Amino acid sequence: MHPLKFRPSPLAEIARKNRAEIVRAGVTRRELIRLGLLTSSGYLISKRGLSAQSSCDAGACQLGCSPPTDPFVDPLPVVPVLPERPLSDPGFQIPPSLQPSGRPQDARTEPHQFRDRFPAQKFFISRMRPIPNAHVSESPANLARIGPQVMWGFNLGGAAASDAAICPGPVIVSRYGTPMVVRRFNELAPDSTGIGRTEVSTHLHNFHSGPDSDGGPCDPAFTRFFGMGKFYDYFYTMARAGFDTDEFRATNGDIRETLGTLWYHDHRVDHTAENNYKGLAGAQIVFNEFDTGNEATGFHLPSFPQFDVPLFLGDKLFTPEGELCFDPFGFDGLVGDKYMVNGRLQPFFEVQKRRYRFRIVNGGPSRFHQLFLTNPDNPAQSIPFWQIATDGNLLPRPVEVTSTRIGVAERFDAIVDFKKIWDRFGHPSRIWLENRLEQVNGRAPTDKILPPGNPANVLLEFRLVGPNTVADGSFDPEPVSSPRVACSPDDCVFAPICLPRLPSETATSPTDRIRLTRSFRFDRSNGQWTVNNDLMDCTRFRFTVQRNTAERWILRNSSGGWQHPIHIHLEEFRIIRRNDRQISCGNVEFSRKDVVRVGFNEEIEIVMRFRDFRGGYPMHCHNVVHEDHQMMLLWQVQDTGDNLTEP
């Protein structure tokens, strides 16, 4: 197989080089607007030498221009686990402590909150490094079309040059009750791709962290992102939310606030999309005394890692010559035409005929997914699976579904029973994980569901192998799932990890009493994304919530052309209504969430508590291109809150 040959127009090649030069020079979007080189829609003006990208000429970075590739020729990579490190490791030559060391290479400038109460018991190291020859496929045919790429990633902690980084990064396995420190070294280096910035800030998405270790984009008072040659110590209490409230101090938090499937990713302000796209992301799992990682104990969920498998979804664009590309001049977002799972192009995964737990993460940058299981030899079949968690939180009752929609940064855990699929659907030898949600640009999906059976829409091919009957001691969700069993608001199949009680205006406990209702409007103004008609500002907090109280927030999207997956740091929330339609039991959104999809012309009502930590956090659209183009704000938690209703 020979690479395809292209005859680019001279103007297209000049435009490609000039755009790349702007990126390498580090000119900001605001500077381009002042220079008159960006339109109000966020695109480069139609100017000779800049904007010749209307077809798949050489260097084109747009949907439909990536080279053709063969699916299902690479096995799914099983991402390795980050090993624990002893404090004698040379990487801890400067010991991790409550206070920053003050040494030049230590990027931290503030103490770890609550570390004196929760002394660290486990220590990890990971080094962010370039991957100069990253392969999206090992197939000779695919490599001839899309060759080695320059990517970034996290390694397994070793300091030797041979300790290569991987993307996605290693899985971090943690447990409640075991506080931990992760030291992350920035050993990145600039390169000629024009993608990414070497300053970084690693956010542990959805964990209940202090602002010193949340990995936020910026803060008016403290350094959040750090440059090459430095390290940052991230401390995690591994305690559940509510640990510093009167009600749950003795138990180190409310067990109903237990988390499970998290992910970590770069959050460098203005460049989150690029740095994630280039590889700075990975999965983290939190086990506990009930969800143990061993199907012989606790809830008997499938055992990690053999039958409990993280699936990290992404999509990429390549130039016709096969080079990974990212256009920083489009404010709408980026949707790729090549699906990646765990860093591989449309891989396959051999499965036994038994139950598996898949922890599915939508890593973005802008694509939504509606995921189905499809028998390619009989696409008309409707194959169920069981959703047991959303955004990493166990549902009150498993829900039997034939598809699930997730926006960027949303997660869900599913039980797929390949034995039942084998028995009930004609002994299929393969099953596809398909995204059948049409999306033609970064603004939003069209909401059209595509017909089944198109290989271009497949993320992963499961291949059913081995004997027809194998040992399986894991939990079977089917007999207790909704809608087979009538649901109730008080359901709790996974007791004691049940839904916390809802806050209200009449509650007697301060942490349960709704103190205030705030409204937020997600919109577009003068080509930039805004929240309440205001741009992101790293120098100020827009509002202050009162610690150990609750609030109601109204999230509005008045547009029929955009959708926004909104993420709020620090605490999870409950979705009460969508456009005045109450979310009730049996709905997969009847759960704790940290990302909510705000669809076309939607108004979402959520309630949430703000406990334990003090300091600043962001709220933002997790279509990370929208985030980088200003759809974000900073807010803070303090002992006294303000009363701003439209901050």
Side-chain angles (χ1 to χ4, degrees):
M1 183 68 65
H2 297 284
L4 299 175
K5 302 296 183 182
F6 296 89
R7 293 187 176 88
S9 70
L11 180 57
E13 183 63 13
I14 291 170
R16 183 188 70 80
K17 291 179 178 178
N18 288 346
R19 289 159 69 91
E21 187 62 30
I22 290 174
V23 172
R24 282 193 294 270
V27 180
T28 69
R29 301 175 187 97
R30 294 187 185 189
E31 289 169 337
L32 289 170
I33 291 172
R34 286 199 297 270
L35 292 170
L37 295 178
L38 280 183
T39 69
S40 63
S41 299
Y43 292 96
L44 283 171
I45 62 170
S46 298
K47 184 176 183 65
R48 184 177 178 85
L50 279 182
S51 56
Q53 264 205 21
S54 59
S55 63
C56 293
D57 289 312
C61 186
Q62 56 193 30
L63 200 63
C65 292
S66 298
T69 51
D70 299 326
F72 324 134
V73 294
D74 291 282
L76 175 76
V78 177
V79 183
V81 170
L82 185 67
E84 184 182 354
R85 296 272 169 175
L87 285 176
S88 59
D89 187 287
F92 292 127
Q93 186 174 9
I94 300 173
S97 59
L98 185 152
Q99 298 289 342
S101 69
R103 303 280 285 275
Q105 59 268 54
D106 186 350
R108 185 160 57 100
T109 58
E110 59 191 305
H112 289 143
Q113 291 189 38
F114 292 103
R115 187 162 167 185
D116 50 351
R117 177 174 162 187
F118 299 102
Q121 298 175 28
K122 288 194 174 184
F123 302 88
F124 300 84
I125 291 174
S126 190
R127 300 172 187 272
M128 288 168 270
R129 289 179 167 180
I131 310 172
N133 292 291
H135 289 187
V136 300
S137 173
E138 297 297 340
S139 157
N142 286 342
L143 280 171
R145 300 159 181 161
I146 298 178
Q149 307 293 320
V150 178
M151 302 289 286
W152 289 346
F154 297 84
N155 81 350
L156 295 176
S162 58
D163 293 317
I166 57 175
C167 66
V171 177
I172 300 176
V173 176
S174 50
R175 292 187 180 273
Y176 278 109
T178 308
M180 57 188 283
V181 167
V182 180
R183 174 167 290 184
R184 292 187 168 99
F185 287 87
N186 182 347
E187 298 178 358
L188 299 172
D191 55 56
S192 61
T193 65
I195 303 173
R197 291 295 180 270
T198 55
E199 300 88 8
V200 294
S201 176
T202 305
H203 171 50
L204 179 53
H205 184 111
N206 194 32
F207 195 69
H208 189 63
S209 302
D212 52 86
S213 297
D214 179 63
C218 57
D219 187 279
F222 297 105
T223 302
R224 287 288 177 257
F225 56 86
F226 60 103
M228 297 178 291
K230 294 182 178 292
F231 69 81
Y232 197 107
D233 286 341
Y234 295 86
F235 167 67
Y236 307 111
T237 64
M238 302 314 302
R240 297 168 173 95
F243 64 79
D244 204 44
T245 63
D246 292 340
E247 185 175 5
F248 297 110
R249 187 172 287 108
T251 56
N252 286 334
D254 185 350
I255 195 167
R256 298 170 298 181
E257 298 284 358
T258 299
L259 308 174
T261 301
L262 313 178
W263 66 300
Y264 59 93
H265 63 82
D266 186 68
H267 215 317
R268 200 278 191 205
V269 66
D270 291 339
H271 297 282
T272 296
E274 294 173 66
N275 285 5
N276 279 264
Y277 189 73
K278 199 162 181 171
L280 294 183
Q284 179 158 337
I285 295 172
V286 185
F287 288 119
N288 59 74
E289 60 268 44
F290 303 100
D291 186 357
T292 65
N294 181 350
E295 64 190 50
T297 62
F299 293 148
H300 303 286
L301 295 171
S303 293
F304 179 84
Q306 188 175 7
F307 306 114
D308 177 351
V309 183
L311 299 178
F312 198 95
L313 312 184
D315 50 295
K316 307 290 188 188
L317 280 179
F318 297 87
T319 67
E321 300 82 16
E323 182 179 355
L324 181 72
C325 63
F326 180 97
D327 187 354
F329 303 108
F331 285 18
D332 288 354
L334 183 148
V335 290
D337 49 22
K338 295 298 175 185
Y339 283 127
M340 314 287 290
V341 183
N342 291 359
R344 277 290 185 269
L345 179 70
Q346 292 182 284
F348 67 87
F349 184 45
E350 292 186 345
V351 294
Q352 299 180 38
K353 300 179 185 73
R354 57 152 290 155
R355 286 181 287 273
Y356 283 73
R357 177 185 192 173
F358 294 107
R359 302 173 185 260
I360 297 177
V361 180
N362 181 359
S366 304
R367 185 180 288 279
F368 293 63
H369 294 80
Q370 183 104 15
L371 297 174
F372 293 76
L373 293 177
T374 300
N375 179 357
D377 300 312
N378 190 349
Q381 292 176 335
S382 181
I383 300 176
F385 55 92
W386 289 269
Q387 186 165 340
I388 63 167
T390 182
D391 285 357
N393 305 302
L394 290 170
L395 295 173
R397 180 177 295 279
V399 179
E400 182 176 315
V401 296
T402 55
S403 73
T404 285
R405 181 174 296 196
I406 53 173
V408 183
E410 287 188 289
R411 289 92 61 220
F412 74 95
D413 290 19
I415 300 290
V416 179
D417 193 328
F418 292 104
K419 172 61 174 172
K420 290 178 179 175
I421 291 174
W422 173 263
D423 288 341
R424 298 176 183 178
F425 294 94
H427 297 176
S429 61
R430 55 190 182 137
I431 294 293
W432 285 351
L433 180 65
E434 265 192 316
N435 175 29
R436 290 169 47 197
L437 181 62
E438 182 181 67
Q439 186 166 350
V440 297
N441 56 45
R443 299 180 179 189
T446 65
D447 288 342
K448 176 183 177 182
I449 300 300
L450 301 170
N454 182 350
N457 298 330
V458 178
L459 291 104
L460 177 63
E461 178 176 273
F462 297 110
R463 295 180 180 174
L464 283 67
V465 300
N468 295 342
T469 302
V470 296
D472 186 353
S474 68
F475 166 71
D476 182 359
E478 184 176 30
V480 297
S481 64
S482 175
R484 291 177 180 268
V485 176
C487 72
S488 159
D490 298 323
D491 279 348
C492 191
V493 169
F494 296 112
I497 303 177
C498 311
L499 284 179
R501 57 184 176 266
L502 283 171
S504 71
E505 282 86 354
T506 59
T508 56
S509 167
T511 55
D512 288 346
R513 189 183 309 125
I514 294 176
R515 193 184 71 86
L516 188 69
T517 296
R518 302 184 197 265
S519 297
F520 302 93
R521 190 175 61 259
F522 299 88
D523 213 337
R524 191 161 182 164
S525 177
N526 296 321
Q528 295 275 41
W529 299 105
T530 62
V531 183
N532 285 352
N533 204 38
D534 207 348
L535 299 175
M536 170 62 175
D537 185 349
C538 282
T539 67
R540 67 185 177 98
F541 296 118
R542 293 266 286 272
F543 61 97
T544 302
V545 302
Q546 189 161 311
R547 181 175 177 265
N548 291 339
T549 66
E551 294 190 358
R552 174 187 292 109
W553 291 7
I554 307 298
L555 313 179
R556 294 189 177 96
N557 173 18
S558 58
S559 167
W562 320 98
Q563 294 187 22
H564 302 293
I566 301 302
H567 173 48
I568 304 168
H569 288 221
L570 175 63
E571 287 275 10
E572 295 186 301
F573 49 81
R574 289 279 301 277
I575 304 172
I576 305 303
R577 292 179 181 84
R578 282 184 175 272
N579 284 353
D580 292 326
R581 178 179 58 85
Q582 188 160 349
I583 302 300
S584 58
C585 66
N587 187 320
V588 295
E589 289 191 326
F590 190 73
S591 61
R592 293 174 290 124
K593 294 275 293 172
D594 66 83
V595 179
V596 58
R597 301 184 307 277
V598 186
F600 301 130
N601 298 303
E602 273 199 321
E603 178 178 292
I604 314 291
E605 176 187 342
I606 66 173
V607 294
M608 59 192 302
R609 298 171 174 87
F610 304 90
R611 293 159 293 188
D612 307 325
F613 296 103
R614 299 171 177 86
Y617 298 89
M619 173 173 68
H620 58 87
C621 178
H622 222 296
N623 177 334
V624 280
V625 177
H626 295 184
E627 172 193 327
D628 285 345
H629 291 286
Q630 310 303 311
M631 189 168 269
M632 179 162 58
L633 59 76
L634 297 179
W635 54 279
Q636 64 175 333
V637 181
Q638 297 297 345
D639 292 334
T640 301
D642 64 34
N643 294 310
L644 299 175
T645 58
E646 293 189 12

